Amino acid sequence: SMNPDLASERQTASFSVEKLTTWLDGGAEQTRLRRAVVEAIECDPVFSREDQYFQSQNERYEAAVRKAVHLQKKMQEMGWSEDGPEFKYIYRAVAGDIAFLLHRVFMRSVSMLGSDEQIAKWIPLASQYQLIGSYAQTELGHGTYLQGLETTAVFDVTTQEFILNTPKISAMKWWPGDMGRSATHTVVFAQLYVHGKCYGIHPFIVQIRSLQDHSLCPGIIAGDIGPKMNFEHIDNGYLMLQNVRVPRENMLNKFCEVQPDGTYVRRGSQKINYFTMTSVRISLISGEAVLPLMKACTIAIRYSAVRRQSKLKPGEQEAKILDYQTQQEKLLPQLAAAYAFHFINDYLQELFDRGYRDIQRKNFDTLPELHALSSGFKGMVTQCCTSGVEICLRACGGHGYSLLSGLPSLYTKIIASCIYEGENTILLLQTARFLIKCFMAASTGQSVPPSVTYLAAAKPGNCPAKNKLDFLHPDIYTEAYQHVAVRLISSTAAKLQDLIQSGVKKHDAWNRCTVQLVQAAKAHCHYITVKNFVETVEKIETKAGIQKVMKDLCDLFALYGIFSNTGVFLHDGYISGAQMDMVTASYLDLLAIIRKDAVPLVDAFDFTDKSLNSALGSYDGQVYQRLYEWAQKSPTNKQISPAYGKYLKPLLHNRLSKL
Amino acid sequence: SMNPDLASERQTASFSVEKLTTWLDGGAEQTRLRRAVVEAIECDPVFSREDQYFQSQNERYEAAVRKAVHLQKKMQEMGWSEDGPEFKYIYRAVAGDIAFLLHRVFMRSVSMLGSDEQIAKWIPLASQYQLIGSYAQTELGHGTYLQGLETTAVFDVTTQEFILNTPKISAMKWWPGDMGRSATHTVVFAQLYVHGKCYGIHPFIVQIRSLQDHSLCPGIIAGDIGPKMNFEHIDNGYLMLQNVRVPRENMLNKFCEVQPDGTYVRRGSQKINYFTMTSVRISLISGEAVLPLMKACTIAIRYSAVRRQSKLKPGEQEAKILDYQTQQEKLLPQLAAAYAFHFINDYLQELFDRGYRDIQRKNFDTLPELHALSSGFKGMVTQCCTSGVEICLRACGGHGYSLLSGLPSLYTKIIASCIYEGENTILLLQTARFLIKCFMAASTGQSVPPSVTYLAAAKPGNCPAKNKLDFLHPDIYTEAYQHVAVRLISSTAAKLQDLIQSGVKKHDAWNRCTVQLVQAAKAHCHYITVKNFVETVEKIETKAGIQKVMKDLCDLFALYGIFSNTGVFLHDGYISGAQMDMVTASYLDLLAIIRKDAVPLVDAFDFTDKSLNSALGSYDGQVYQRLYEWAQKSPTNKQISPAYGKYLKPLLHNRLSKL
């Protein structure tokens, strides 16, 4: 049965939830397809996540392998293919708890970095699971800085083999997924040496386990790196290589080759590698950051409409916690951010698709911009979504802290997105480097990529808002964001130049500006996000109800950003103290407005109860009943703990002997 | 062997680490005592935490019970008593993974709320573990708002018993520690009914499990609430009561009694209850918030002096990540905060001790101030320490995400401190209510408690700083903090009055100001923290080296607070944009200065390797070796997963059949 408090939230929606869902999906056909995939996966008991919160690391690994193997069968059964329209919904539906994701990266790297012969040899083997692949790049002592990797591959002319070695403990491969227990093969990145000369990092296909009995191959030491905050389903592994020999043909050689006599030949453009990273960073934004935030918002907002605590008015019943301003101020900006980042993901995808078409025509011009945007947005979005999920967790009080709420596992998983595929601070600094370069170019009149033309067009003057309603004009706030981005970029560029002119060495000057450079990069991404949200709202052609509520959300996102970063707007007086009070007033007013539609706005994300896997977030709002039922299933209630017989009984028995 | 990078950090310390440790402990005798306790606990294998990261919830519970039982023995053996000077170090040394903490709360509540007869009956039983107690207050549907509890206790005159019931699912007791599997007795808080009239919430001692065989007593449904983010060692439980009868004498009746004929008598003052909460909130600040932050800083800073990544200068070896400004900006403010909160804890303890002496003399005057400060600081300190630990975790990149770093368990545990013993937002609003009251009183010339006299003494004018060095004058920044606190409190008081005068009902007006009230309460606590840090530094009488480095840390704490909250200082122009640039410059300069002493500053916290339980944070800095060794111990490396035989082998076997 439906909780009446939650039911009443849905009766007053100012828009059609189904229409909003369809619009977010990009059309009714997409919605239909997504639901069909989710339905097919969720009705299959192999994919059930019912026991997830009670499983050990070993059990989760086993379930993930089972799911991965079963998924192959399922896809054949359903007629789904890797390049079919359903594909993007499959991993969303299994909600990540599946093995062999690195097998896919293995295949992608062979396809990208291998010659035609290599592709012809390895891809069929991999796609038919005649091997299980992994991707061994990161080392115990080396992450983002690839040039620092220490694994070596020395070419032996006499045997036409590469001899791979882990020269010291910090060179051990560490973290690669699917490698701890599953993989039979992996792509190892190592420093190539030929005739004593180092040619830098190259990829080699190395077999690590027997195809017969899965035992480790000679010279291989490998295993699981142990427990982590989450990702228990993945066997992140370590790998040590001791004089492991692979044939010359196992170096992936699309871009460079070692010939039989040891001659090193480089060929083609490596820019495409650059593009691969960009592609991965953009592709993780939606699935690994925005979707988890949407789920967390759904759970926390539904719960806040059911949970009652204290009285708002004397004599009345206890109030829904969603009616408290402080609770609204925690959750509703996260809801607005989830929408904002969903739209920025569309923007990045479009830019990426355009870039991809250019690259196929051998035009690499858009790469620097695409690289800068993908780095910056990966950094900004994963960071904001991570804090958003944490806010949702804490906003649910004690019950949010129970694994059964679903929030702890969302949090412990999303926090990893701030680190993998490029640590966020380093990524934001890459964006900053691009911005400084473009700012310099723009100030000397050179042309710059479209997303940064605003750097040249900066207008002087202050914010023209006269009352709190003026801050609901998108022009007003978009210009404020633009002004701040320009100011932070230009002032940091000036500091950098001043330092260099005063004799500080370039790299040192850069290091001394990095705290401010990160701020500038964030301001740039924030500005683009606000601008893109505004443009998205303007383009809405569906029923007015949706445009109105999206406009409110857009305003909320923009004003929250000002309210929570007042300093950068006040710094040079662009926004005055009096105007900031207007921002605050408008912002707080918006909370009360969005609050009315909060539940329908999360309903529109269209998550099934199974995909939320949360005792607090289900559609029917029966939170207490579900917490109680789910707790029964815990292994802690399945048996009398040995602690009783061993420790409690003797302790309490003392009493009997004393009586 | 010592990692040379870490060794070199220690050679250049600007002060004596041992002297700093001693000073932090409050004297050499304290240091000696603390080390003796830690040594005694850590050399006892029962207290080993070596396997902690590999254990299931069941295993951690069993180990925690074992430790609790063993601790009794150990204390007798060592001659330690609950009121001895060693006692405060014992729980620090066992690092929290121990059962029966709620048994102590059971005893405390009997002592506080029970009559002399009740104390005489129950305390000896409890202290000799002839029963195991718990404390059942929170319900599934009710937390902080005690008046809303739904459990009932109806007095039956004919049998002279109370009949306890859980009238609906939301009334089930939920979360009490030690209750899921251990406790035999508990204190149940229930609405008292006599002759049909409700007298509000009262405490009752209820037996829930047999002392013979630990089976549940008639009418009792109880169990474990299942997995949580942490606290797996504690059996947080649920409890449903179905017509459970307890004798009239089981209502704790120091302050009120139901007489045999049903007459309800209230006696004495209940203000002491108020004082209990205060005492608990203050006592958790050090152990549950500041110590975990100190540990996280120790781990992250030592690791950052060992970990090398990328090049800072071309041609040199890879740089220690601690040499990057962005890394310093993440970690060093957390280090300064750990010191600041250590000192504020001393301040609160002193205030509390003074208050306690007053109360013993029946003087309750200091209670409101003490309540406001303990609420506000519990809210502020647990929140800052939680984000500090998260920053430390993320600053260690991928390895921080491994449980073996020790950081995930610190984080998943400390985050609970934001919720238990009063949810932080609610606590900060209690402080705000006190501040508004005092502000009103002060503005009409009435006297106010010492910590808020500054509200009356606010001076007009702007910050007098002329260059970046001026911001290293404690007067300059302390006054800035004071100014902001006064401004936020007074402007919110004004908004509140305006709303009420414009006809908005009082409770509604309050709700519409709560976002700003929380800000004001935080500003007040921040100001007191800065002021107290300054005063602590001024009072240092030990060697100059310590005073100098503490002064730098104090400056860093203060300027970081301004740098990361620029808006509130810029809002009315108290600090100008140009002055804010000076703050930034001084702040960034300080990072480079503190960085030199960063490792000695965490060494001074004097954590043993065992207490850190971190592969990244050990004193010798052998991080890679230790990660590798510890990973071997993981259950994931102890056996071949059944997944191989069940799923991987058949999958790969396909290949053989196809060949």
Side-chain angles (χ1 to χ4, degrees), chain A residues 85-98:
Chain A
E86 304 88 355
F87 195 73
K88 65 173 172 170
Y89 302 123
I90 294 176
Y91 284 87
R92 172 170 174 170
V94 292
D97 263 24
I98 192 156

PDB file of all heavy atoms in Angstrom, chain A residues 85-98:
ATOM      1  N   PRO A  85      20.910  -0.400 -29.865  1.00  0.00           N
ATOM      2  CA  PRO A  85      20.395   0.765 -29.128  1.00  0.00           C
ATOM      3  C   PRO A  85      20.149   0.470 -27.645  1.00  0.00           C
ATOM      4  O   PRO A  85      20.118   1.377 -26.827  1.00  0.00           O
ATOM      5  CB  PRO A  85      19.084   1.085 -29.846  1.00  0.00           C
ATOM      6  CG  PRO A  85      18.660  -0.216 -30.481  1.00  0.00           C
ATOM      7  CD  PRO A  85      19.934  -0.937 -30.826  1.00  0.00           C
ATOM      8  N   GLU A  86      19.973  -0.823 -27.314  1.00  0.00           N
ATOM      9  CA  GLU A  86      19.686  -1.173 -25.917  1.00  0.00           C
ATOM     10  C   GLU A  86      20.932  -1.096 -25.051  1.00  0.00           C
ATOM     11  O   GLU A  86      20.857  -1.031 -23.834  1.00  0.00           O
ATOM     12  CB  GLU A  86      19.171  -2.627 -25.794  1.00  0.00           C
ATOM     13  CG  GLU A  86      17.949  -2.970 -26.610  1.00  0.00           C
ATOM     14  CD  GLU A  86      18.335  -3.440 -28.011  1.00  0.00           C
ATOM     15  OE1 GLU A  86      19.544  -3.402 -28.350  1.00  0.00           O
ATOM     16  OE2 GLU A  86      17.433  -3.839 -28.763  1.00  0.00           O
ATOM     17  N   PHE A  87      22.101  -1.160 -25.726  1.00  0.00           N
ATOM     18  CA  PHE A  87      23.315  -1.423 -24.972  1.00  0.00           C
ATOM     19  C   PHE A  87      23.547  -0.456 -23.812  1.00  0.00           C
ATOM     20  O   PHE A  87      23.933  -0.853 -22.712  1.00  0.00           O
ATOM     21  CB  PHE A  87      24.533  -1.473 -25.890  1.00  0.00           C
ATOM     22  CG  PHE A  87      25.708  -2.096 -25.211  1.00  0.00           C
ATOM     23  CD1 PHE A  87      25.746  -3.460 -24.971  1.00  0.00           C
ATOM     24  CD2 PHE A  87      26.764  -1.319 -24.748  1.00  0.00           C
ATOM     25  CE1 PHE A  87      26.801  -4.043 -24.299  1.00  0.00           C
ATOM     26  CE2 PHE A  87      27.824  -1.892 -24.069  1.00  0.00           C
ATOM     27  CZ  PHE A  87      27.848  -3.255 -23.852  1.00  0.00           C
ATOM     28  N   LYS A  88      23.295   0.824 -24.087  1.00  0.00           N
ATOM     29  CA  LYS A  88      23.603   1.807 -23.039  1.00  0.00           C
ATOM     30  C   LYS A  88      22.747   1.635 -21.778  1.00  0.00           C
ATOM     31  O   LYS A  88      23.077   2.171 -20.725  1.00  0.00           O
ATOM     32  CB  LYS A  88      23.516   3.242 -23.561  1.00  0.00           C
ATOM     33  CG  LYS A  88      22.148   3.702 -23.996  1.00  0.00           C
ATOM     34  CD  LYS A  88      22.225   5.210 -24.326  1.00  0.00           C
ATOM     35  CE  LYS A  88      20.935   5.698 -24.962  1.00  0.00           C
ATOM     36  NZ  LYS A  88      20.886   7.152 -25.075  1.00  0.00           N
ATOM     37  N   TYR A  89      21.635   0.902 -21.903  1.00  0.00           N
ATOM     38  CA  TYR A  89      20.787   0.714 -20.731  1.00  0.00           C
ATOM     39  C   TYR A  89      21.154  -0.534 -19.920  1.00  0.00           C
ATOM     40  O   TYR A  89      20.737  -0.687 -18.784  1.00  0.00           O
ATOM     41  CB  TYR A  89      19.323   0.638 -21.135  1.00  0.00           C
ATOM     42  CG  TYR A  89      18.862   1.882 -21.875  1.00  0.00           C
ATOM     43  CD1 TYR A  89      18.317   1.800 -23.139  1.00  0.00           C
ATOM     44  CD2 TYR A  89      19.010   3.135 -21.287  1.00  0.00           C
ATOM     45  CE1 TYR A  89      17.908   2.945 -23.807  1.00  0.00           C
ATOM     46  CE2 TYR A  89      18.611   4.280 -21.948  1.00  0.00           C
ATOM     47  CZ  TYR A  89      18.059   4.183 -23.211  1.00  0.00           C
ATOM     48  OH  TYR A  89      17.675   5.303 -23.866  1.00  0.00           O
ATOM     49  N   ILE A  90      21.914  -1.426 -20.551  1.00  0.00           N
ATOM     50  CA  ILE A  90      22.183  -2.712 -19.896  1.00  0.00           C
ATOM     51  C   ILE A  90      22.990  -2.521 -18.611  1.00  0.00           C
ATOM     52  O   ILE A  90      22.632  -3.019 -17.549  1.00  0.00           O
ATOM     53  CB  ILE A  90      22.916  -3.666 -20.856  1.00  0.00           C
ATOM     54  CG1 ILE A  90      21.982  -4.029 -22.014  1.00  0.00           C
ATOM     55  CG2 ILE A  90      23.372  -4.926 -20.115  1.00  0.00           C
ATOM     56  CD1 ILE A  90      22.606  -4.888 -23.086  1.00  0.00           C
ATOM     57  N   TYR A  91      24.071  -1.770 -18.709  1.00  0.00           N
ATOM     58  CA  TYR A  91      24.907  -1.605 -17.523  1.00  0.00           C
ATOM     59  C   TYR A  91      24.226  -0.745 -16.476  1.00  0.00           C
ATOM     60  O   TYR A  91      24.431  -0.906 -15.282  1.00  0.00           O
ATOM     61  CB  TYR A  91      26.305  -1.108 -17.898  1.00  0.00           C
ATOM     62  CG  TYR A  91      27.108  -2.253 -18.476  1.00  0.00           C
ATOM     63  CD1 TYR A  91      27.046  -2.553 -19.839  1.00  0.00           C
ATOM     64  CD2 TYR A  91      27.844  -3.087 -17.649  1.00  0.00           C
ATOM     65  CE1 TYR A  91      27.727  -3.648 -20.361  1.00  0.00           C
ATOM     66  CE2 TYR A  91      28.526  -4.186 -18.151  1.00  0.00           C
ATOM     67  CZ  TYR A  91      28.465  -4.462 -19.508  1.00  0.00           C
ATOM     68  OH  TYR A  91      29.120  -5.553 -20.007  1.00  0.00           O
ATOM     69  N   ARG A  92      23.389   0.192 -16.925  1.00  0.00           N
ATOM     70  CA  ARG A  92      22.577   0.939 -15.976  1.00  0.00           C
ATOM     71  C   ARG A  92      21.664  -0.019 -15.206  1.00  0.00           C
ATOM     72  O   ARG A  92      21.506   0.096 -13.995  1.00  0.00           O
ATOM     73  CB  ARG A  92      21.743   1.984 -16.739  1.00  0.00           C
ATOM     74  CG  ARG A  92      20.722   2.671 -15.865  1.00  0.00           C
ATOM     75  CD  ARG A  92      20.063   3.860 -16.531  1.00  0.00           C
ATOM     76  NE  ARG A  92      18.990   4.355 -15.659  1.00  0.00           N
ATOM     77  CZ  ARG A  92      18.337   5.478 -15.839  1.00  0.00           C
ATOM     78  NH1 ARG A  92      18.645   6.259 -16.851  1.00  0.00           N
ATOM     79  NH2 ARG A  92      17.393   5.854 -15.017  1.00  0.00           N
ATOM     80  N   ALA A  93      21.111  -0.992 -15.935  1.00  0.00           N
ATOM     81  CA  ALA A  93      20.152  -1.901 -15.304  1.00  0.00           C
ATOM     82  C   ALA A  93      20.840  -2.871 -14.329  1.00  0.00           C
ATOM     83  O   ALA A  93      20.289  -3.175 -13.278  1.00  0.00           O
ATOM     84  CB  ALA A  93      19.379  -2.676 -16.360  1.00  0.00           C
ATOM     85  N   VAL A  94      22.030  -3.337 -14.660  1.00  0.00           N
ATOM     86  CA  VAL A  94      22.690  -4.255 -13.718  1.00  0.00           C
ATOM     87  C   VAL A  94      23.362  -3.478 -12.593  1.00  0.00           C
ATOM     88  O   VAL A  94      23.873  -4.062 -11.642  1.00  0.00           O
ATOM     89  CB  VAL A  94      23.720  -5.208 -14.385  1.00  0.00           C
ATOM     90  CG1 VAL A  94      23.017  -6.204 -15.277  1.00  0.00           C
ATOM     91  CG2 VAL A  94      24.792  -4.464 -15.132  1.00  0.00           C
ATOM     92  N   ALA A  95      23.349  -2.149 -12.694  1.00  0.00           N
ATOM     93  CA  ALA A  95      23.804  -1.262 -11.616  1.00  0.00           C
ATOM     94  C   ALA A  95      25.246  -1.529 -11.199  1.00  0.00           C
ATOM     95  O   ALA A  95      25.594  -1.415 -10.042  1.00  0.00           O
ATOM     96  CB  ALA A  95      22.870  -1.334 -10.416  1.00  0.00           C
ATOM     97  N   GLY A  96      26.067  -1.920 -12.184  1.00  0.00           N
ATOM     98  CA  GLY A  96      27.507  -1.935 -11.932  1.00  0.00           C
ATOM     99  C   GLY A  96      28.072  -3.176 -11.275  1.00  0.00           C
ATOM    100  O   GLY A  96      29.266  -3.397 -11.350  1.00  0.00           O
ATOM    101  N   ASP A  97      27.240  -3.966 -10.624  1.00  0.00           N
ATOM    102  CA  ASP A  97      27.797  -5.108  -9.896  1.00  0.00           C
ATOM    103  C   ASP A  97      28.063  -6.285 -10.817  1.00  0.00           C
ATOM    104  O   ASP A  97      27.458  -7.346 -10.688  1.00  0.00           O
ATOM    105  CB  ASP A  97      26.849  -5.526  -8.775  1.00  0.00           C
ATOM    106  CG  ASP A  97      27.284  -4.913  -7.465  1.00  0.00           C
ATOM    107  OD1 ASP A  97      27.969  -3.877  -7.517  1.00  0.00           O
ATOM    108  OD2 ASP A  97      26.961  -5.472  -6.413  1.00  0.00           O
ATOM    109  N   ILE A  98      29.028  -6.116 -11.705  1.00  0.00           N
ATOM    110  CA  ILE A  98      29.263  -7.134 -12.710  1.00  0.00           C
ATOM    111  C   ILE A  98      30.755  -7.186 -13.029  1.00  0.00           C
ATOM    112  O   ILE A  98      31.451  -6.174 -12.960  1.00  0.00           O
ATOM    113  CB  ILE A  98      28.390  -6.820 -13.951  1.00  0.00           C
ATOM    114  CG1 ILE A  98      28.371  -7.985 -14.922  1.00  0.00           C
ATOM    115  CG2 ILE A  98      28.842  -5.535 -14.634  1.00  0.00           C
ATOM    116  CD1 ILE A  98      27.145  -7.987 -15.814  1.00  0.00           C
TER     117      ILE A  98
END
